[in-house]
Amino acid sequence: MVTAATAVPLRAAYDAAHGGRWTSLRGGGREWLWRGPESGRHEVRPDDAFVDAGGLEECLPTVRGRPDHGEVWSRPWRTAGPDTAVIERSTFVLTRRITDSAGVVVADYRLAADPGHRFIWAAHALLDLSPSARLDAPAGTPTRLHPEAAALLPPGTWPTDAQWLSGAWPAPAGLTLDTFGADDGTALGAVLLDCPRVQVIDGVDRLTLALECADQPRSTALWRNLGGWPETGPYRSIGVEPMLGAAFDLADAGPTDAAVVPPAGEVAWRLTISAHRIH
């Protein structure tokens, strides 16, 4: 039996006033972005503790660390033309333009800063997926497990004081990460290195996320929370996050683990999201 894939047009919506957060990624009768249980997102003030409202949050210049999930998610962006929003900080200016020409969502970013400025950026996309969903990435992709995974490994597996443990996708250190399954009370983060394109497969639906950026480290971060976080009132949330950099926390990033602004004073990148349905 031959199966065929049909393109499913996507439309995105965002809220510039509340951190530029993507509030919808919809197509074919399906909403891909998960909505979180935490209230108070609209009351957030700069540098407040992160409020997990779901959607897609822009994380810059770090994901973990200080401030948690970065500086820009908690601040209003200003509109700067059709489909364009800007956030200005003391050390950088980020401009983003989102279009959905021909049903493919394209987000173009431009960060202006002093040459040598280091940063991590992630499109912190929390997706509404079934337990049967899986993440397709090239087999063998070097993958960094972050410390919360240590409790899921045999005693003595995690090196003392290690920032992360590396292994090959889809089962670094023997932990199978490409399938999500039912809630099991675990939560972990991982980064797939040099992996700018992944596909989420959920039943007949496919969502492809691709990141383009010249001369910068491109990764895909994974947050697989199967009811293991937070400690009080845990819930399920799955993050598939295109990333510039190779670590969640800028403070942990080695010389090649962060994006670096070149002498021209600008870094430009593009995130493309498309959907297909098998029939």
Side-chain angles (χ1 to χ4, degrees):
M1 180 179 179
V2 177
T3 60
T6 301
V8 176
L10 292 175
R11 297 292 300 272
Y14 64 90
D15 184 352
H18 298 97
R21 173 175 167 259
W22 299 40
T23 56
S24 179
L25 182 65
R26 189 170 185 83
R30 174 171 186 155
E31 174 58 62
W32 282 96
L33 295 183
W34 171 84
R35 290 175 172 81
E38 296 192 26
S39 60
R41 179 65 178 82
H42 285 191
E43 287 71 50
V44 165
R45 296 294 179 265
D47 298 328
D48 277 358
F50 184 63
V51 175
D52 194 6
L56 186 158
E57 300 278 14
E58 300 284 357
C59 296
L60 179 78
T62 191
V63 183
R64 298 183 182 181
R66 296 185 178 180
D68 188 17
H69 288 71
E71 299 179 15
V72 303
W73 74 271
S74 61
R75 290 171 164 83
W77 299 34
R78 63 176 175 85
T79 300
D83 309 311
T84 303
V86 176
I87 176 72
E88 300 177 19
R89 301 295 298 129
S90 60
T91 57
F92 63 83
V93 177
L94 177 67
T95 303
R96 182 193 69 192
R97 182 171 185 257
I98 299 176
T99 60
D100 48 34
S101 176
V104 175
V105 171
V106 177
D108 285 305
Y109 297 81
R110 185 175 68 254
L111 183 136
D114 290 340
H117 179 79
R118 302 175 80 242
F119 66 95
I120 301 289
W121 165 84
H124 180 66
L126 294 175
L127 302 180
D128 188 2
L129 303 175
S130 74
S132 64
R134 61 185 180 89
L135 180 62
D136 185 37
T141 295
T143 302
R144 288 176 172 172
L145 294 170
H146 281 251
E148 61 272 15
L152 307 179
L153 300 173
T157 301
W158 197 272
T160 302
D161 299 327
Q163 295 173 323
W164 44 67
L165 180 65
S166 296
W169 182 265
L175 291 179
T176 301
L177 298 186
D178 61 335
T179 56
F180 301 127
D183 290 0
D184 61 8
T186 66
L188 62 83
V191 178
L192 288 72
L193 306 184
D194 191 25
C195 183
R197 183 184 184 278
V198 295
Q199 186 173 81
V200 177
I201 300 172
D202 193 5
V204 298
D205 289 322
R206 310 286 188 268
L207 187 74
T208 303
L209 303 96
L211 179 61
E212 302 171 60
C213 186
D215 304 319
Q216 302 290 347
R218 299 170 300 164
S219 304
T220 299
L222 171 65
W223 170 240
R224 195 186 72 165
N225 174 26
L226 304 180
W229 185 91
E231 289 186 10
T232 302
Y235 50 83
R236 180 187 182 92
S237 57
I238 305 295
V240 178
E241 310 174 22
M243 170 188 280
L244 291 183
F248 282 116
D249 191 339
L250 181 61
D252 294 336
T256 62
D257 292 334
V260 181
V261 176
E266 183 175 290
V267 178
W269 64 95
R270 169 174 286 183
L271 172 62
T272 302
I273 307 177
S274 58
H276 292 79
R277 182 164 290 162
I278 302 297
H279 58 86

